Amino acid sequence: MQNSGRQSRRITAAQVAEAAGVSRSAVSRAFTAGAYLDRAKREKILKVAQELGYRPNALAAGLQAAGRSDLVAIVTGDLVNHYDAEILARLVQSLRGLGKWPVVLGGHEDLREEDVLGVLGYPLDALVLRGGSVAESVALHCAKLNIPMILSGRVMSAPGVDCVCCDNARGAAMAVRALVARGRRKLGYLGGVPHLSSDQDRRTGFETALAEEGLSPAVLAHADYSFEGGYAAARDLLAGGAEIDGLFCANDAMALGVMAAARQEGGLSIPEDLSIIGFDDISMAAWPGFDLTTVRNDMDETVSQILRLLSARLEAPGKDNEVAWIEPELILRGTH
Amino acid sequence: MQNSGRQSRRITAAQVAEAAGVSRSAVSRAFTAGAYLDRAKREKILKVAQELGYRPNALAAGLQAAGRSDLVAIVTGDLVNHYDAEILARLVQSLRGLGKWPVVLGGHEDLREEDVLGVLGYPLDALVLRGGSVAESVALHCAKLNIPMILSGRVMSAPGVDCVCCDNARGAAMAVRALVARGRRKLGYLGGVPHLSSDQDRRTGFETALAEEGLSPAVLAHADYSFEGGYAAARDLLAGGAEIDGLFCANDAMALGVMAAARQEGGLSIPEDLSIIGFDDISMAAWPGFDLTTVRNDMDETVSQILRLLSARLEAPGKDNEVAWIEPELILRGTH
DNA sequence: TTGTATGCGTTATCAC
DNA sequence: GTGATAACGCATACAA
């Protein structure tokens, strides 16, 4: 009764070695690219391993050398926001291209900081944080554990922390100028969660650009970045008799909600009665029926910068921290 | 020069032990719930650990006992499909509730089977597969490696493989009956990827229910589950002069695309000129402006069944495999 | 209650 | 080329 534990264990290199009549080291070498090993011997080992269903245990392998567990944690924003969902998909895909395995956290409203700290139990190659949802203490822990951190959509200045961020103020200014160029003068801003720096920057950009045009905001409101939130905010605005002819929304989902409310609750035509510009350029913005004018917060560029910063950091862990700015671009469609 | 490697290592239990003047085992016990350890001693250790930024290495811990690495891989469908994005968010959240860490794969069109096999290098507690994207060979490997597998949206009969699946045929029949009850007689089916069993089942359900009503399909078409695909398919149908007064779509995204095309390209009113029913009930279906009648493929129920099966399998690895059927529900809105 | 000693499965180092 | 052997960092059975 050699191998009859009731809960059968995973096949190990030792078992493969025995079955193939070689040493354990040979088995290890067979799975290591560029290791000295007789060609025929390697092939035999690989064949036996295949039959037994052997696969080197990544946990044990990751224990060997520090700094290459190949695990990267991603803290994503709420996935009902299409922007975050699309970013996550791209991130997961390109991380695989680097040979990394993404451990995903978040994706819903209530992310517990405890979970973020918990995943640091793994010797992560890096931690990628989307949006502004997590506190300073996490950054502190990362620093102590020597885990590189990459922020997206938020800027923070700390050693070992790299950031990718859209120039939010500039994007907001582009939207304002486009609205003014259309003859709009009574402009409103519909922001998202006010304590996030991205929202603050978009709002500041909006107000500054407006001031440069000699105008002041007709309305400053905020919702929760969702379609439903945008819808409700617009309905309230309309019911309150707000006089606006143009609205800049802090993201596309809210802009779509505003459009629906303006049309259905207010009986307004867009853009004739009300111009609307969103932010992000999620794929839905281009759908016929929406055709939303928006400020593109380039997802491909964002993800590729995240990966560039990640690679650079892994190559030179002690390098200076860096901020990669994403240039916004105004996408002209039919709602402004 | 005791501690001056250029690439500073992670703090270990040994270092904490030395700093706190205790044994390594004591440190280990301090982090193990319910281990014998003097109260004051534990607190001191925890304090020192906190200061040093120590955290037990999950890799080393996972190596201890087989079968509880706390890692669960999720192979998700394309995240531009909102259904998959919403399922993933719920899955990630509830997996955390079980103390598991989700390693996420897929999320985009081209999932390489190599990646799925690769993640099996980790001694996963389980592998959760969404949709029908992955081949038999994966199931085989899982079996050999003794990794429990949970399929969602697809059924497969194999030891150690549990499934959660919507009763697709029944859902399709509900849609057909609702359309017929509205007086529709010339019904079409817009399917998704034809080789997926979910699509086949919905199509079969459609045809069978139609036959029971004494009718036969006016149109059988298919697209790629996307809004754009639905839009293009509808445009082609209209251009080809297809005579239909009702269309059942295999998912909501395509149904929304069809609606946009019918209105904009065909100048049709919905549901006056054309009734449309979707499948899934993604959050967007309820948006004003869409108000899509659809067959709910309950996400909360799906995720909770996945978790139930997962827990049961971990408790009793050798138990019989099981299929949990999700009952579809017709959500009556304004498009049928 | 505590410390010592052993094993988890792998890779890397070292003589052969 | 190849096979022993020492880490890697932790949990735990065992002895005290």
Side-chain angles (χ1 to χ4, degrees), chain A residues 216-335:
Chain A
S216 54
V219 160
L220 291 173
H222 63 90
D224 63 355
Y225 283 125
S226 74
F227 176 95
E228 291 80 4
Y231 190 97
R235 193 186 45 206
D236 293 349
L237 247 45
L238 293 171
E243 281 195 26
I244 54 173
D245 56 14
L247 187 64
F248 168 53
C249 303
N251 78 347
D252 287 346
M254 290 193 299
L256 299 181
V258 167
M259 282 169 61
R263 285 172 174 155
Q264 307 210 353
E265 309 268 334
L268 302 180
S269 287
I270 295 167
E272 291 75 12
D273 302 321
L274 177 64
S275 287
I276 295 177
I277 296 186
F279 206 109
D280 282 347
D281 194 27
I282 58 180
S283 59
M284 232 184 304
W287 287 6
F290 288 135
D291 196 34
L292 177 70
T293 297
T294 189
V295 179
R296 174 174 293 163
N297 187 355
D298 199 296
M299 296 186 269
D300 290 322
E301 181 64 15
T302 298
V303 171
S304 98
Q305 288 294 336
I306 291 175
L307 261 79
R308 183 183 65 76
L309 292 173
L310 174 59
S311 305
R313 173 68 54 189
L314 293 181
E315 195 129 342
K319 83 187 236 316
D320 284 351
N321 49 318
E322 184 179 346
V323 178
W325 289 102
I326 304 295
E327 284 306 312
E329 178 189 0
L330 189 64
I331 306 297
L332 300 170
R333 295 203 184 93
T335 61

Side-chain angles (χ1 to χ4, degrees), chain A residues 118-242:
Chain A
V119 79
L120 297 181
Y122 292 89
L124 304 171
D125 282 0
L127 176 66
V128 177
L129 269 165
R130 263 288 309 156
S133 40
V134 182
E136 303 292 314
S137 64
V138 173
L140 202 65
H141 271 267
C142 280
K144 274 190 178 169
L145 290 168
N146 233 283
I147 293 178
M149 195 167 137
I150 298 181
L151 256 43
S152 158
R154 181 188 171 193
V155 175
M156 181 175 136
S157 184
V161 179
D162 299 302
C163 308
V164 178
C165 195
C166 179
D167 188 340
N168 289 306
R170 185 144 180 271
M174 292 170 126
V176 167
R177 285 195 290 269
L179 290 169
V180 171
R182 273 285 199 272
R184 306 307 181 182
R185 292 294 179 272
K186 294 171 286 183
L187 303 186
Y189 174 70
L190 179 58
V193 188
H195 71 82
L196 296 185
S197 66
S198 60
D199 187 66
Q200 290 160 12
D201 294 345
R202 287 171 200 181
R203 175 176 164 156
T204 304
F206 172 81
E207 295 186 297
T208 304
L210 217 52
E212 285 171 2
E213 302 284 347
L215 301 171
S216 54
V219 160
L220 291 173
H222 63 90
D224 63 355
Y225 283 125
S226 74
F227 176 95
E228 291 80 4
Y231 190 97
R235 193 186 45 206
D236 293 349
L237 247 45
L238 293 171

Side-chain angles (χ1 to χ4, degrees), chain B residues 31-216:
Chain B
F31 284 88
T32 305
Y36 291 126
L37 188 61
D38 181 75
R39 184 172 211 78
K41 200 169 196 172
R42 159 170 279 141
E43 275 167 18
K44 172 163 193 195
I45 292 174
L46 255 28
K47 179 162 163 286
V48 172
Q50 169 82 13
E51 285 166 3
L52 263 47
Y54 170 76
R55 197 160 273 275
N57 186 326
L59 249 44
L63 211 51
Q64 288 307 118
R68 49 177 195 72
S69 71
D70 288 339
L71 252 24
V72 171
I74 302 176
V75 180
T76 174
D78 196 328
L79 292 183
V80 305
N81 293 325
H82 304 83
Y83 184 76
D84 282 291
E86 293 186 43
I87 284 272
L88 177 63
R90 287 167 164 80
L91 208 45
V92 165
Q93 179 175 29
S94 39
L95 238 23
R96 278 307 305 135
L98 244 65
K100 306 300 178 192
W101 299 104
V103 180
V104 176
L105 268 52
H108 43 84
E109 280 181 5
D110 45 310
L111 170 66
R112 299 182 306 175
E113 185 173 329
E114 167 195 349
D115 285 345
V116 181
L117 293 177
V119 79
L120 298 180
Y122 292 89
L124 303 172
D125 282 1
L127 177 66
V128 178
L129 269 166
R130 262 289 309 156
S133 41
V134 181
E136 303 291 315
S137 64
V138 173
L140 203 66
H141 271 266
C142 280
K144 276 190 178 169
L145 290 168
N146 232 283
I147 294 178
M149 195 165 136
I150 297 180
L151 256 41
S152 158
R154 181 187 172 195
V155 174
M156 181 175 137
S157 183
V161 178
D162 300 302
C163 308
V164 178
C165 195
C166 180
D167 187 341
N168 289 305
R170 183 144 181 272
M174 292 171 125
V176 167
R177 286 196 288 271
L179 290 169
V180 170
R182 272 285 199 273
R184 305 307 183 181
R185 292 295 178 272
K186 293 171 287 183
L187 303 186
Y189 174 70
L190 178 59
V193 187
H195 71 82
L196 297 185
S197 65
S198 59
D199 187 65
Q200 291 160 11
D201 294 344
R202 287 171 201 183
R203 175 176 163 156
T204 303
F206 172 81
E207 295 185 297
T208 305
L210 217 52
E212 285 171 3
E213 301 284 348
L215 300 171
S216 55

Side-chain angles (χ1 to χ4, degrees), chain A residues 6-200:
Chain A
R6 74 175 52 196
Q7 170 63 9
S8 87
R9 288 183 113 64
R10 204 179 154 97
I11 302 285
T12 74
Q15 295 174 49
V16 175
E18 190 178 1
V22 299
S23 71
R24 270 166 288 153
S25 319
V27 176
S28 182
R29 286 193 180 93
F31 284 87
T32 305
Y36 291 126
L37 188 61
D38 181 76
R39 183 172 211 79
K41 200 169 196 173
R42 158 171 279 142
E43 275 167 18
K44 171 164 193 195
I45 293 174
L46 255 30
K47 180 164 162 285
V48 173
Q50 170 82 15
E51 285 165 5
L52 263 48
Y54 169 75
R55 198 161 273 276
N57 185 326
L59 248 45
L63 208 52
Q64 286 310 117
R68 50 177 194 71
S69 71
D70 288 339
L71 251 26
V72 171
I74 302 177
V75 180
T76 175
D78 196 330
L79 292 183
V80 305
N81 292 326
H82 304 84
Y83 184 77
D84 281 291
E86 294 187 42
I87 284 271
L88 177 63
R90 287 167 164 80
L91 208 45
V92 165
Q93 179 174 30
S94 39
L95 238 24
R96 278 308 304 136
L98 244 63
K100 307 299 178 192
W101 299 104
V103 179
V104 175
L105 267 54
H108 42 84
E109 281 181 2
D110 45 310
L111 171 67
R112 297 181 307 176
E113 184 174 331
E114 167 195 348
D115 286 345
V116 181
L117 293 177
V119 79
L120 297 181
Y122 292 89
L124 304 171
D125 282 0
L127 176 66
V128 177
L129 269 165
R130 263 288 309 156
S133 40
V134 182
E136 303 292 314
S137 64
V138 173
L140 202 65
H141 271 267
C142 280
K144 274 190 178 169
L145 290 168
N146 233 283
I147 293 178
M149 195 167 137
I150 298 181
L151 256 43
S152 158
R154 181 188 171 193
V155 175
M156 181 175 136
S157 184
V161 179
D162 299 302
C163 308
V164 178
C165 195
C166 179
D167 188 340
N168 289 306
R170 185 144 180 271
M174 292 170 126
V176 167
R177 285 195 290 269
L179 290 169
V180 171
R182 273 285 199 272
R184 306 307 181 182
R185 292 294 179 272
K186 294 171 286 183
L187 303 186
Y189 174 70
L190 179 58
V193 188
H195 71 82
L196 296 185
S197 66
S198 60
D199 187 66
Q200 290 160 12

